[in-house]
Structures are given as structure tokens and as C-alpha cells.
Amino acid sequence: MLVNWSLAAIHLLAFALGFWAVLMRGTALSRLAAGTGDAGRVLLADNIWGICALILLITGALRAFGGYEKGADYYLHQPLFHLKMTLFVLILLIELAPMITLIKWRIAKARGAVPDTGRSMLFARISHVEALLLVLMVIAATGMARGVTFG
């Protein structure tokens, strides 16, 4: 029982912190695009967002398929779980370009070079879309927790 509760708490906290981090990354990218920000803030928020995404993936997989919670059979037959996973995959797909670019920024900064920040506004928008998708994931999760089904 304590493990289930702990996994659920960590999972929910990762949603909350991840939501904040991806919004902060978007804000920092917008400021950078406007000439009033710095890449360091973007990279810090991105680090937190990445850690939270990893925690969500690990705790979610443990809860759904690791013998905790309701079990794989429940989740695999729950339409809201499929919606939640679709949203997660969508986040991963649209995150690819910002992730690759921000890795390049880190490499450039480590070499003492100035990163190419030309797509900062695009990545700010992507960050805000990801935040919206996280909210939709939480809505799907609350439906799952209450046993909402369609059929």
C-alpha cells in the first residue's frame, strides 16, 4: 500500500513540477527571443522538465505494468489510458526538435560559443503546447482514477 501511494504521489508531483518547468522554459525562451532573457534560464528549466518527464515515464510504467495499482489488464482496456499515452507520445514527438537544439546549446556553451537562439520563439510555443497537453493528461488520469469508461 505504501509503495502504491508513494508511486502515485511521485507521479502527481512530477506532473505538477513538469508543468511548471515547461511553462518556465517557454517563458524563458520567449524572453530570449525578445532579447531580454538568457540561455541559462532556458537550460535550467529544460533540465527540470526533462527530469520530470523521465520520472513520469518510470513511475507511470511501474504503476501500469509493474504489478502496482490496478494492473496492466485494467490499463490496456481503459480508453482514457490510451488517450493519456497518445498525449504523452505527442509530447515526446513535438519535444524532439527543442530537445536536440537545446543539447546543441549546451555543447556550444561548454565550448564557449554562443548558441543559435533563432528558433527560440517556436520552441516557446511548443513548450506552451506541451503544458496544455500535460493538463489534458491530468484530466484523462482523473477520469481513469474514477473508473470513467466509454462503452
Side-chain angles (χ1 to χ4, degrees):
M1 179 64 104
L2 184 59
V3 172
N4 291 2
W5 184 20
S6 298
L7 283 173
I10 292 167
H11 196 67
L12 291 174
L13 289 169
F15 266 112
L17 185 58
F19 178 75
W20 172 82
V22 78
L23 281 179
M24 289 302 100
R25 183 182 78 175
T27 300
L29 283 161
S30 294
R31 289 181 179 155
L32 187 62
T36 59
D38 69 276
R41 289 184 189 268
V42 172
L43 296 177
L44 176 61
D46 185 62
N47 286 341
I48 296 168
W49 168 226
I51 290 167
C52 289
L54 185 61
I55 291 169
L56 285 170
L57 182 63
I58 292 168
T59 57
L62 284 172
R63 293 178 73 207
F65 306 111
Y68 302 99
E69 301 294 330
K70 296 174 179 118
D73 190 54
Y74 170 80
Y75 289 103
L76 292 175
H77 292 92
Q78 172 53 265
L80 288 173
F81 177 75
H82 291 277
L83 173 61
K84 190 176 169 190
M85 291 303 95
T86 299
L87 294 168
F88 188 74
V89 168
L90 186 56
I91 288 170
L92 291 175
L93 290 174
I94 66 174
E95 178 64 19
L96 287 175
M99 179 178 61
I100 291 166
T101 300
L102 294 178
I103 288 169
K104 289 178 181 178
W105 287 17
R106 288 178 178 87
I107 293 168
K109 284 187 66 132
R111 292 182 178 159
V114 177
D116 176 9
T117 60
R119 297 194 297 168
S120 294
M121 189 51 79
L122 170 64
F123 295 151
R125 288 186 193 109
I126 289 172
S127 296
H128 293 138
V129 168
E130 290 174 0
L132 173 63
L133 294 173
L134 278 174
V135 169
L136 295 175
M137 287 178 72
V138 170
I139 292 168
T142 60
M144 285 172 32
R146 277 138 193 87
V148 173
T149 59
F150 302 98

